[in-house]
Amino acid sequence: MATLSKHGPEILRLEYCNSSVSYRADGKILRNTGNGWKSFLKLKPGVNVEEHCARVRENRAKKDEACPTFAKFRKLLTQYGTRTRNLIYTTLERMPTDPDGAWSTCDDYGIRVDLEDLVELSRLFDVVTKEARDYKRARARTANVRPRASAS
């Protein structure tokens, strides 16, 4: 298990739906998926960590601006701990339109989550998955894709 303090001060921490990522001053990138911090990636030698983190922040801001519903979903989900949010997210994947059932499942696992939060997460999850599907379809249509060769 990696120790955060071994790799110098934290330059940037990003919260994702199922993990947290910490960019460290020595170029190491650590990830916590609910089982403690583990070494995830290392920046190439010569890459300025501060500049790289500034680009990462900028890209995150652009994505949040392009997909505000997902940003809201992530913000609401990341108020819970990493391990807890993994279980909540998995439950929502399995029961996207049943927040009461999701709450019951979370309660069975000992996860204390408000029903109102689960209702909102469920609603946002539905919107986010539809937006992601539409985005992928639109991107596939506009991509420079070569036509398949016909079998003769």
Side-chain angles (χ1 to χ4, degrees):
M1 188 175 313
T3 306
L4 289 174
S5 60
K6 281 186 186 177
H7 300 288
E10 183 174 79
I11 307 299
L12 173 67
R13 183 175 296 196
L14 294 175
E15 299 290 337
Y16 293 95
C17 290
N18 59 355
S19 65
S20 297
V21 176
S22 176
Y23 290 77
R24 309 308 289 188
D26 67 351
K28 283 274 192 178
I29 301 170
L30 306 175
R31 181 173 65 173
N32 183 356
T33 58
N35 298 317
W37 291 98
K38 307 268 191 312
S39 188
F40 180 52
L41 297 169
K42 180 158 177 56
L43 297 176
K44 292 180 182 179
V47 173
N48 184 321
V49 178
E50 304 246 345
E51 289 175 7
H52 178 77
C53 288
R55 282 194 308 275
V56 169
R57 272 191 203 99
E58 187 179 311
N59 288 340
R60 170 57 86 79
K62 285 180 186 176
K63 287 179 183 178
D64 286 352
E65 189 177 307
C67 304
T69 308
F70 181 71
K72 187 175 179 183
F73 173 76
R74 184 180 58 237
K75 184 177 180 180
L76 185 58
L77 187 61
T78 57
Q79 72 183 350
Y80 298 99
T82 311
R83 179 175 286 176
T84 301
R85 84 175 80 130
N86 279 334
L87 292 170
I88 293 170
Y89 188 82
T90 303
T91 303
L92 286 171
E93 281 182 319
R94 293 182 179 159
M95 295 183 255
T97 58
D98 185 13
D100 189 46
W103 181 86
S104 179
T105 301
C106 289
D107 192 51
D108 290 346
Y109 282 111
I111 298 170
R112 302 293 170 239
V113 62
D114 291 334
L115 182 58
E116 293 81 22
D117 283 352
L118 273 176
V119 168
E120 182 66 8
L121 282 167
S122 180
R123 185 188 67 75
L124 290 171
F125 185 80
D126 187 44
V127 173
V128 165
T129 52
K130 287 177 183 171
E131 283 179 356
R133 193 177 328 115
D134 294 344
Y135 174 77
K136 287 178 184 178
R137 285 182 185 151
R139 200 160 169 209
R141 278 189 226 116
T142 60
N144 190 6
V145 179
R146 290 188 299 169
R148 291 185 185 181
S150 61
S152 350

